[in-house]
Amino acid sequence: MNDIDFDRYDRIRPIRWTGDALELLDQRRLPFHVEYVRCQDSDAVAAAIHALTVRGAPAIGIAAAWGVVLAARDIQADDGAGALAALEPALQRLNAARPTAVNLAWALARMRRSLGGAGADWRERLAREAQAIADEDLAANRRMGALGAALIVPGSGVLTHCNTGSLATAGFGTALGVIRAGVAQGRIEQVYAGETRPWLQGARLTVWELQQDGIAPILIADSAAAHLMKSGRVQWVVVGADRICANGDTANKIGTYQLAIAARHHGVKFMVAAPSSTVDMATASGEAIEIEERDPGELFAVGGVRTAAEQVGAWNPVFDVTPHELIDAIVTERGVIERPDAQAMRAAFGA
Ligand code: MRU
């Protein structure tokens, strides 16, 4: 199989640190407007995370880390211990921006730890840590891309959900990284992308992102997924994750769970690709995951045009949990876990 040409297959960067501000590719405006929003303080970063200007579990963590670097500009401290105390309110506001993706709390915990034992150089330590979080994410994605693609038999079709690509990470993507690698190696013949109602991450982001790389995906309505599987055109569903629990249960974009059920029914394999920063061994099972619920107003309109009658009720949970029994493989940069359960997760990630 050919090596992957990363420059050809990975061109988009959603997060840019300029040295004095954080620029975020505004994912609310894609695909018709490619514009960066400039954040100059940590509350602007928290607001951008909450508003989905920046989104996708790893990207949220990276943006929050740079948010801490921005918060550091507003405080005076002689050493890391003093800085940590003064930064705590900003850290908590960043952490509260979205609840489900563990990468946010994970990145903030790393930023806190980087201050341990720091002296007057504590600001540089924070900046180095934020850059390391971003660099490690890109490296992890490239590694898991190769590991995940190796599971896919040449000539396959795959279905993906939401957006898990460069837009959702430091670059290359998680599930979309596996798909990029699989296309580059000739293993994947056709990529299908679900629209991902209500925010349309598939229709607005994934399809556009793959197009930038010269990959021509086929967009389907979310409700066409089971019919697609029955047709025999896809051999794998490949998705990302917002939190993978100690028993392998996985939270991801709403609609993932029903894809896993349909996949099992049709003999289609189901792969979760995520960096180890998405693994949360402190949460025993999916029962304990907080599922974000967003404004029901997201269901009432498409592209700003109202489609539902006035004064109707709506419920808008934006993630769901796929039980580990329905997952054939969890792929991280550390390796592949086939048929994940608590024992296999412990063997891979410790207690
Ligand atoms: O609400 P979003 O767009 O942030 O949800 C994103 C997802 O559910 C992704 O599948 C997940 O974060 C993995 S991104 C590499």
Side-chain angles (χ1 to χ4, degrees):
M1 291 285 170
N2 299 331
D3 280 342
I4 299 153
D5 176 353
F6 288 115
D7 292 330
R8 170 167 176 218
Y9 282 105
D10 182 22
R11 298 193 183 142
I12 297 159
R13 289 293 175 269
I15 300 171
R16 298 195 302 220
W17 174 249
T18 66
D20 65 348
L22 186 66
E23 294 179 343
L24 301 171
L25 179 54
D26 191 344
Q27 304 199 23
R28 299 165 305 174
R29 308 266 291 152
L30 289 170
F32 299 117
H33 301 273
V34 181
E35 293 169 3
Y36 282 80
V37 168
R38 197 172 158 82
C39 299
Q40 283 172 303
D41 59 52
S42 69
D43 284 342
V45 176
I49 292 171
H50 182 71
L52 309 190
T53 309
V54 61
R55 45 141 304 278
I60 292 171
I62 296 161
W66 287 118
V68 179
V69 176
L70 288 172
R73 295 200 302 199
D74 298 331
I75 63 160
Q76 297 301 324
D78 296 330
D79 57 18
L84 187 55
L87 282 170
E88 199 49 41
L91 283 159
Q92 285 183 17
R93 288 195 297 277
L94 285 162
N95 193 44
R98 290 192 80 187
T100 304
V102 73
N103 303 62
L104 178 55
W106 171 88
L108 294 174
R110 265 187 72 161
M111 295 302 278
R112 280 192 184 91
R113 272 201 306 278
S114 75
L115 291 172
D121 66 336
W122 63 270
R123 286 175 207 279
E124 291 76 40
R125 287 228 205 163
L126 284 178
R128 273 202 303 275
E129 194 67 10
Q131 190 60 57
I133 289 171
D135 293 346
E136 288 167 28
D137 186 62
L138 181 58
N141 291 340
R142 289 177 171 180
R143 173 90 189 117
M144 83 179 84
L147 291 171
L151 301 175
I152 298 172
V153 171
S156 293
V158 300
L159 170 64
T160 191
H161 190 56
C162 194
N163 172 270
T164 60
S166 303
L167 286 169
T169 63
F172 202 61
T174 59
L176 228 49
V178 169
I179 289 172
R180 283 192 159 91
V183 170
Q185 294 176 346
R187 294 175 184 274
I188 297 176
E189 253 174 30
Q190 187 60 61
V191 183
Y192 294 86
E195 277 183 304
T196 319
R197 280 281 291 152
W199 214 70
L200 298 173
Q201 286 93 332
R204 293 193 307 104
L205 307 178
T206 297
V207 165
W208 176 78
E209 181 178 329
L210 289 176
Q211 215 178 31
Q212 307 304 301
D213 289 352
I215 298 170
I218 293 177
L219 182 64
I220 61 163
D222 296 323
S223 43
H227 184 62
L228 173 75
M229 292 180 201
K230 192 176 172 193
S231 77
R233 280 181 260 195
V234 292
Q235 283 62 52
W236 280 93
V237 175
V238 187
V239 297
D242 286 81
R243 193 181 291 252
I244 302 173
C245 299
N247 69 348
D249 289 356
T250 294
N252 191 49
K253 180 51 54 192
I254 192 77
T256 303
Y257 175 35
Q258 64 197 23
L259 290 180
I261 293 170
R264 183 58 57 90
H265 181 79
H266 292 100
V268 170
K269 300 271 194 175
F270 192 89
M271 184 193 307
V272 173
S276 56
S277 54
T278 305
V279 173
D280 175 12
M281 293 301 282
T283 299
S285 78
E287 296 291 312
I289 298 177
E290 183 184 347
I291 298 292
E292 178 182 3
E293 294 187 12
R294 293 183 70 86
D295 182 355
E298 291 182 351
L299 295 172
F300 295 148
V302 177
V305 178
R306 182 136 189 143
T307 50
E310 298 294 341
Q311 292 172 349
V312 293
W315 178 48
N316 189 20
V318 299
F319 297 98
D320 58 25
V321 175
T322 300
H324 63 89
E325 296 89 345
L326 295 178
I327 299 172
D328 291 292
I330 291 178
V331 179
T332 75
E333 77 281 11
R334 298 199 197 165
V336 176
I337 303 169
E338 293 194 63
R339 292 176 297 284
D341 60 14
Q343 199 185 350
M345 290 294 290
R346 225 175 8 255
F349 296 101

